Amino acid sequence: MGKKSEQGPRNEDQRGISRRGLIVGSGTAAVAAVLSGGGAASAAAPHTAAGPVHTTARSAQPGGAGDDILLVNGRIHTFDDNDSVAEAVRVRGGRFVAVGQDAIREGKARNRIDLGGRTVIPGIIDSHNHIALVANRPGHWVGLEDVFTHEDAVARLTAKAVTVPAGELVTSLGPIVAMQFPSNTLPNLTMLNAVPRPVMIMAEQGGNAVNQAAVDFFAAKGITITINAAGYPTGAGVGLALQRLRQEMTPEERERNALAALEYYAGLGITTHLDEGAFHVDTPGTAIWNENAYTLHNGFLALNRAERLPARIRFDYLEEDSTAELPRLTARLKNSFPFYGSDMMRSGGIGEFTVNGFGGGAVAIGGEIWIAGAKAVARAGWRNENHSLSANDIAQIVAGWEAVHAEVPISDLRWVVSHVPNITADHVSRLKAMGVGLKVGWGPTRNGTNLGPRHRMIIDSGIPVGYHSDGGDITAINPWLNFYTMITGKNLRGNFVWEAGQQVTRDEAIRLATRDNRWFIGEDDLGGIQPGSHADLVVLDRDFFSVPEEQLAATRSVLTMVGGDVVHTSGEVAGAPAPGTGHRYAEA
């Protein structure tokens, strides 16, 4: 980490796109008890095989300084080249144009936002999650990853229910985990009966929950949900209910819930998502990790066409071939464009599977078909990402990619291995030699020792490292839960994860999720608060860098900007523009 200093020079010659924003509700949490153990768009950007290449030379801005947004009186952690902390930043045309005293010296601004001494960080980049799965959940979706008591969960669901037409369903179908709550259980039927609409919860870890209104709702559809003595559903009923709801989803419902998901995570500070796809099914199934891979992003595409995306979407193509002919992967490499789109929505590479990695024999990681798929991606010059969950598969990935690299060099393609809980120093050294990067994070809701890698060893090696949650189908997306685990070495139940010294610092956690993630999305104008970068930032409700450890997981945003437009506000920041009033939409 560099020395903290006041940021200096500015660059006024920048251009960008700002976005319409929408208010995201924030939850309250009694997190301390839990943590203590008590419980296709526009024209393509220029790109290399590794990703889009952005320079800092831009067209002149329309208007003058009077049209700017000026944020003052803050502790703005810029994560620039000098790791500066500044008190002010100026936004024009969707980009940062000046930081520190330079921002103030430019004069008046259209909006002057007094940060009241609050901590500011760049917008968080989650470089590997499954946000599109969340966006395709039925019902009126509610995010619950930031509540830590049953009472707060019921209050959040009730607040949503009063906005929902009578007889329609309120859902929270992942990401939510029972470990968030002191009892390590979801709210049961009796508790959820307080919500004045049918409610269905499907947790990624920790079971399911419904209220009586939901039992009656599905009974009318011919689906029986049986409730046990503890007040929770048992048997196949909830899965069948999910399948029926997905069969009945309309394009409008998918667009609505895509927006709801992005709004929710904007309230937790995520301004860029790299979606890693879903296991393909032609028709909806009973599992929350399956979806039609060819229509998966339709909700995001509709929002992008309407210029309503409140966060940036990047997406990879998860491929699942099981035969040597590689029909699906071959078609993808021939007929799709990597890194194509706009600043708000852009395609990526192949990942997190090259072929059906859960298959056996030749299809398994390291097998003949897997190797053939990796070679095809390398020859096409695409980025490739695979995940590792075990000591065996990381060894197979390293050896397999070395074989590919010997035939088709991958050094400039920015290939990636994610999760890597069992990676060794030898693996890291060999991957680094091939120009491969690693994604870490991933563990706040897991048990045992498989909660994440040895972060210190990886970071100190000098290999490219970035942050990811992998949330959406099997774990949490909420970045503050993940940061808590990375910093403390504990999951949400208080279990230690690593030997002493393998945790990261608070600065490192944020850097991994901002500046360092540029490498993984191939865009150098995201992830920092400096002249020329997209004006994506998050104003936090607490000083993340100094609060006690038990408060880290409950961090939230009180103001989030994407491209200089407010996409979330809690109303706590004086002078903040109302969501949806950015310059682009004012013109419209």
Side-chain angles (χ1 to χ4, degrees), residues 416-538:
V416 176
V417 191
S418 53
H419 317 339
V420 295
N422 300 103
I423 198 167
T424 67
D426 176 66
H427 296 144
V428 173
S429 177
R430 290 160 65 188
L431 291 169
K432 181 182 176 183
M434 291 185 282
V436 173
L438 300 174
K439 292 180 182 177
V440 300
W442 182 71
T445 63
R446 296 176 184 271
N447 286 303
T449 59
N450 197 26
L451 299 183
R454 296 167 63 201
H455 288 101
R456 177 57 46 213
M457 178 270 291
I458 293 171
I459 291 171
D460 290 350
S461 76
I463 196 171
V465 190
Y467 162 78
H468 76 312
S469 70
D470 192 35
D473 58 341
I474 60 171
T475 190
I477 292 177
N478 184 341
W480 309 104
L481 303 184
N482 285 278
F483 297 159
Y484 170 82
T485 292
M486 295 166 70
I487 292 163
T488 67
K490 303 174 185 177
N491 66 11
L492 295 184
R493 298 303 296 168
N495 300 327
F496 282 92
V497 179
W498 307 287
E499 66 266 32
Q502 288 303 319
Q503 294 78 18
V504 304
T505 68
R506 301 182 194 202
D507 272 5
E508 285 173 329
I510 302 300
R511 178 175 288 272
L512 287 167
T514 57
R515 181 182 178 88
D516 290 347
N517 260 344
R518 294 175 184 172
W519 191 92
F520 295 88
I521 60 173
E523 300 175 56
D524 63 13
D525 51 4
L526 293 174
I529 299 175
Q530 55 194 352
S533 291
H534 288 293
D536 299 358
L537 61 77
V538 184

Side-chain angles (χ1 to χ4, degrees), residues 16-22 110 259 302-311 344 562-567 578-588:
I17 298 174
S18 59
R19 308 298 302 169
R20 174 179 180 269
L22 294 163
R110 172 170 58 88
L259 183 59
L303 291 172
N304 190 48
R305 286 191 296 270
E307 297 188 326
R308 297 180 66 211
L309 279 174
M344 292 306 297
V562 174
D565 277 358
V566 174
V567 297
T581 58
H583 76 279
R584 182 174 184 180
Y585 296 92
E587 292 168 1

Side-chain angles (χ1 to χ4, degrees), residues 268-475:
L268 294 175
I270 303 178
T271 58
T272 300
H273 301 261
L274 173 50
D275 177 68
E276 292 292 344
F279 295 116
H280 175 72
V281 289
D282 290 316
T283 57
T286 61
I288 61 175
W289 50 81
N290 290 332
E291 188 53 66
N292 188 311
Y294 303 104
T295 62
L296 182 68
H297 298 101
N298 283 357
F300 294 149
L301 289 166
L303 291 172
N304 190 48
R305 286 191 296 270
E307 297 188 326
R308 297 180 66 211
L309 279 174
R312 303 182 195 278
I313 299 295
R314 308 294 182 259
F315 59 93
D316 282 345
Y317 301 101
L318 188 153
E319 300 301 347
E320 300 177 85
D321 283 322
S322 297
T323 63
E325 293 76 20
L326 300 171
R328 180 165 149 179
L329 179 61
T330 300
R332 178 73 70 192
L333 297 174
K334 284 184 176 180
N335 299 305
S336 297
F337 297 100
F339 315 114
Y340 180 86
S342 71
D343 285 336
M344 292 306 297
M345 188 167 183
R346 181 174 292 127
S347 63
I350 302 300
E352 66 184 285
F353 291 89
T354 310
V355 299
N356 183 6
F358 286 121
V363 180
I365 289 175
E368 181 182 347
I369 293 174
W370 183 87
I371 291 285
K375 288 181 179 179
V377 177
R379 291 190 189 99
W382 282 50
R383 183 176 69 203
N384 192 20
E385 179 166 347
N386 277 200
H387 81 192
S388 167
L389 298 173
S390 70
N392 181 66
D393 65 28
I394 187 61
Q396 295 291 340
I397 289 171
V398 174
W401 283 4
E402 285 176 332
V404 173
H405 181 63
E407 183 176 324
V408 188
I410 64 172
S411 298
D412 296 328
L413 301 184
R414 301 193 186 186
W415 283 23
V416 176
V417 191
S418 53
H419 317 339
V420 295
N422 300 103
I423 198 167
T424 67
D426 176 66
H427 296 144
V428 173
S429 177
R430 290 160 65 188
L431 291 169
K432 181 182 176 183
M434 291 185 282
V436 173
L438 300 174
K439 292 180 182 177
V440 300
W442 182 71
T445 63
R446 296 176 184 271
N447 286 303
T449 59
N450 197 26
L451 299 183
R454 296 167 63 201
H455 288 101
R456 177 57 46 213
M457 178 270 291
I458 293 171
I459 291 171
D460 290 350
S461 76
I463 196 171
V465 190
Y467 162 78
H468 76 312
S469 70
D470 192 35
D473 58 341
I474 60 171
T475 190

Side-chain angles (χ1 to χ4, degrees), residues 171-231:
T171 62
S172 190
L173 307 175
I176 179 177
V177 294
M179 196 182 287
Q180 293 172 220
F181 305 106
S183 62
N184 201 25
T185 63
L186 300 174
N188 67 12
L189 180 139
T190 301
M191 300 172 192
L192 292 174
N193 280 342
V195 183
R197 294 289 183 272
V199 175
M200 182 170 74
I201 298 172
M202 291 187 72
E204 294 166 328
Q205 298 173 47
N208 309 311
V210 295
N211 61 5
Q212 186 60 46
V215 174
D216 298 339
F217 176 90
F218 289 111
K221 294 177 177 289
I223 298 170
T224 300
I225 296 180
T226 303
I227 305 297
N228 66 17

